């Protein structure tokens, strides 16, 4: 009889681990506390319109690129990706259009800042090398060098021109440029989007449905409204998961897609050393976002295949059912700012004239929304903040002190669809 696996949490990471382990012959059940799977990548419908929430676009999706390769392995090779042209970054009153694709990106930027052409070339070459050899830099141990270098110091040494540095860090919502940011996170995240970026027709909902279909096709199963309230242990192993309804499920292996502090909270006090609990509880979280989800009057605003960054905010359109005019879009701003909808709509309107007049309604979410819905500590968008000065304590292993309990998801190495997918492979490699 094959070994049984319980995955706790049907976010992207939990579903991906479920598929990979089920394909590898394990008997997998994924447990989700909410009524619907998907976690951060799940969108929602309101009054006939679909709204994306924590997934607007992904990087490295072109043929043979990292996410494409992983998705094919997961049975997600036929998703309706819609390639993006590029992104517009507004800094110091200037507009920079940066097309995706390494050469096109370098050429466009060099045309804007010609005296920095050679530095731009070296910058893009470095990002390309990181993105094209992901396993060389990902993980722990020998792979730590780029995790233990400061992105800020590297960038200051590489790019002396302060305006150019601002442009390169302009996509601030996809990767907040924090002082402790490791070079690896900076290079992998920005590099993968520059390599190629795309939106999905049907948004996060398309991805979640495809993940659930792939899980079920491999023999795995998903149970929603099945929140885990405790993990019971015996002899240094987890024995069973207790669910909200009081029932308990046994398994040979447990994988948690939850924040590691939440995973620890499910375990009895005696199961972990106090120092381990304290270390995980003390880790800093990345910021959460306030989101202004815009709905446009039909036909009132053209649909762009671009993202827009006005640091610290970003504007992301969802693929509309009829492609000519936009239906919904999200403005994301770090922190809790629920009363700033007008300010940001008009700030983007100054760059995209007609935007404000086309808005029919706005739905506001804050970090508290994310905390309440998914349990994300402080509503953090990207989980535990990685710190180049402390890579060994902020870049976490999938292994835990309990032999048969593993971690996955954005809190370990890297956030985002690409980062979580790479982490799922990493977790499953440890198990298999
Ligand atoms: C506003 C925002 C915008 C983003 N935009 C993008 C983007 O455009 N592109 C991109 O690549 N990335 C984006 N991201 C990041 C990306 O969405 C996340 O990195 C990724 O989805 C995290 O997946 P996960 O599986 O690690 O965690 P989660 O999605 O948090 O999944 C954890 C799951 O566990 C469930 N759960 C919690 N407690 C329990 C329990 N006790 N029992 C059972 N289940 C439980 C939760 O309900 C949830 O479904 C964005 C994130 C945010 C917040």
């Amino acid at each position: 009889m094959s070994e049984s696996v319980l995955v706790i949490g049907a976010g992207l990471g939990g579903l991906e681990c479920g598929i990979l382990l089920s394909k590898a012959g394990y008997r997998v059940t994924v447990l989700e506390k909410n009524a619907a799977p998907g976690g951060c990548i799940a969108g929602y419908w309101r009054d006939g319109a679909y709204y994306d929430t924590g997934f607007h676009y992904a990087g490295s999706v072109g043929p043979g690129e990292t996410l494409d390769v992983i998705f094919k392995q997961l049975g997600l090779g036929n998703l309706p990706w819609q390639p993006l042209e590029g992104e517009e970054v507004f800094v110091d009153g200037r507009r920079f259009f940066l097309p995706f694709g390494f050469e096109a990106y370098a050429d466009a930027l060099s045309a804007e800042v010609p005296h920095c052409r050679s530095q731009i070339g070296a910058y893009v070459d470095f990002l390309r090398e990181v993105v094209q050899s992901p396993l060389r830099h990902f993980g722990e141990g020998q792979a730590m060098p780029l995790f233990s270098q400061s992105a800020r110091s590297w960038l200051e040494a590489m790019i002396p021109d302060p305006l150019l540095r601002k442009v390169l860090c302009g996509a601030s919502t996809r990767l907040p440029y924090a002082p402790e940011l490791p070079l690896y996170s900076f290079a992998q995240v920005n590099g993968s989007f520059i390599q190629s970026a795309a939106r999905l027709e049907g948004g996060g909902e398309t991805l979640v449905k495809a993940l659930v279909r792939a899980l079920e096709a491999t023999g795995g199963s998903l149970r929603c409204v099945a929140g885990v309230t405790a993990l019971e242990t015996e002899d240094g192993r987890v024995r069973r998961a207790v669910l909200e309804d009081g029932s308990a499920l046994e398994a040979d292996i447990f994988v948690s897609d939850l924040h590691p502090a939440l995973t620890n909270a499910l375990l009895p006090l005696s199961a972990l050393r106090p120092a381990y609990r304290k270390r995980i509880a003390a880790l800093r979280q990345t910021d959460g976002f306030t989101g202004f989800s815009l709905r446009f009057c039909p036909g009132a605003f053209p649909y762009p295949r671009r993202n827009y960054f006005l640091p610290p905010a970003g504007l992301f359109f969802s693929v509309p059912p009829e492609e000519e005019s936009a239906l919904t879009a999200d403005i994301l701003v770090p922190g809790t700012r629920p009363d700033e909808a007008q300010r940001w709509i008009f700030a983007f309107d100054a760059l995209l004239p007609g935007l404000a007049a086309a808005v029919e309604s706005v739905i506001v979410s804050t970090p508290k929304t994310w905390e309440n819905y998914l349990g994300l500590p402080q509503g953090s968008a990207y989980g535990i903040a990685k710190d180049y000065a402390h890579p060994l304590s902020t870049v976490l292993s999938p292994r835990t002190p309990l032999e048969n309990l593993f971690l996955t998801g954005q809190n370990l190495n890297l956030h985002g669809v690409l980062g979580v997918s790479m982490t799922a492979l990493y977790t499953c490699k440890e198990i298999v």
Side-chain angles (χ1 to χ4, degrees):
M1 182 85 148
S2 56
E3 286 188 295
S4 57
V5 179
L6 279 180
V7 179
I8 307 160
L12 177 65
L15 289 168
E16 290 181 328
C17 284
I19 297 166
L20 292 168
L21 294 172
S22 186
K23 269 182 82 174
Y26 295 84
R27 288 175 292 124
V28 175
T29 305
V30 182
L31 302 170
E32 167 59 44
K33 78 176 177 69
N34 285 330
C40 289
I41 61 168
Y44 63 94
W45 286 83
R46 179 93 46 104
D47 298 331
Y50 175 77
Y51 292 86
D52 277 314
T53 59
F55 167 53
H56 302 90
Y57 71 129
S60 289
V61 292
E65 294 170 7
T66 304
L67 192 61
D68 175 60
V69 171
I70 298 177
F71 271 17
K72 285 199 173 115
Q73 218 173 320
L74 288 160
L76 308 175
N78 291 319
L79 293 175
W81 289 109
Q82 184 189 87
L84 292 178
E85 298 165 354
E87 56 202 18
E88 295 195 19
V89 178
F90 300 89
V91 291
D92 292 358
R94 278 181 68 180
R95 174 192 292 252
F96 294 83
F97 171 60
L98 306 171
F100 292 129
F102 288 117
E103 273 85 32
Y105 183 95
D107 287 348
L109 200 49
S110 301
E112 293 283 348
V113 202
H115 66 282
C116 299
R117 181 175 290 276
S118 65
Q119 293 148 7
I120 292 168
Y123 171 87
V124 168
D125 284 347
F126 178 76
L127 265 53
R128 188 196 329 242
E129 195 278 325
V130 171
V131 166
Q132 289 181 346
S133 45
L135 295 180
R136 199 163 132 211
H137 302 291
F138 193 72
E140 309 161 81
Q142 81 283 10
M144 281 298 187
L146 292 191
F147 270 119
S148 47
Q149 266 190 65
S150 153
R152 183 157 292 194
S153 310
W154 178 84
L155 201 64
E156 282 172 4
M158 174 79 130
I159 310 283
D161 185 296
L163 172 71
L164 180 56
R165 280 207 303 273
K166 278 193 205 171
V167 177
L168 297 175
C169 302
S172 47
T173 45
R174 99 173 148 229
L175 186 78
Y177 187 54
E180 72 274 13
L181 187 70
L183 179 54
Y184 173 76
S185 318
F186 179 87
Q188 177 66 64
V189 172
N190 285 314
S192 68
F193 285 103
I194 294 172
Q195 184 177 39
S196 73
R199 295 185 186 131
L200 252 188
E201 285 172 25
E205 186 178 60
T206 300
L207 180 52
V208 177
K209 281 185 176 163
L211 286 160
V212 174
R213 266 199 310 273
L215 174 71
E216 289 172 349
T218 55
S221 65
L222 166 69
R223 278 183 61 182
C224 290
V225 199
V228 174
T229 55
L231 292 173
E232 294 179 353
T233 58
E234 251 171 58
D235 303 330
R237 293 173 65 83
V238 179
R239 277 281 167 242
R240 55 189 80 78
V242 180
L243 307 191
E244 274 162 355
D245 64 5
S247 63
L249 293 173
E250 298 204 347
D252 299 307
I253 295 165
F254 293 77
V255 178
S256 175
D257 187 30
L258 276 48
H259 189 287
L262 298 184
T263 308
N264 290 351
L266 296 174
L267 291 160
L269 275 181
S270 58
L272 296 171
R273 286 207 318 272
Y276 175 79
R277 273 185 202 276
K278 238 168 125 177
R279 177 166 82 72
I280 300 291
L283 294 172
R284 203 179 72 71
Q285 313 307 313
T286 53
D287 284 342
F289 289 125
T290 294
F292 304 113
S293 298
L294 314 180
R295 179 171 185 161
F296 298 101
C297 304
F301 197 77
Y303 167 66
R305 290 194 181 206
R306 297 179 180 189
N307 295 328
Y308 301 88
F309 293 98
L310 180 60
L315 168 62
F316 308 93
F317 286 79
S318 298
V319 181
E322 274 96 41
E323 281 198 18
E324 313 81 64
S325 68
L327 187 58
T328 58
D330 240 358
I331 296 177
L332 297 180
V333 196
T336 300
R337 315 171 182 224
D339 50 355
E340 291 188 5
Q342 289 212 1
R343 172 185 160 193
W344 287 104
I345 291 170
F346 282 105
F348 278 105
D349 182 79
L351 310 165
L352 299 170
L355 182 100
V359 172
E360 187 180 80
S361 59
V362 183
I363 300 170
V364 181
S365 57
T366 67
K368 203 72 197 159
T369 316
W370 291 90
E371 190 172 3
N372 290 341
Y373 182 59
L374 300 177
L376 307 180
Q378 297 154 38
S380 159
Y382 301 146
I384 291 168
K386 313 300 181 281
D387 183 342
Y388 77 90
H390 304 284
L392 290 172
S393 54
T394 58
V395 182
L396 303 185
S397 162
R399 291 193 172 274
T400 70
L402 290 134
E403 198 189 327
N404 65 339
L405 173 63
F406 296 84
L407 303 174
T408 198
Q410 65 176 1
N411 294 287
L412 303 197
N413 289 61
L414 197 62
H415 65 273
V417 172
L418 177 65
V420 170
S421 303
M422 289 164 75
T423 303
L425 283 184
Y426 183 38
T427 298
C428 293
K429 187 178 109 286
E430 290 295 311
I431 296 170
V432 174

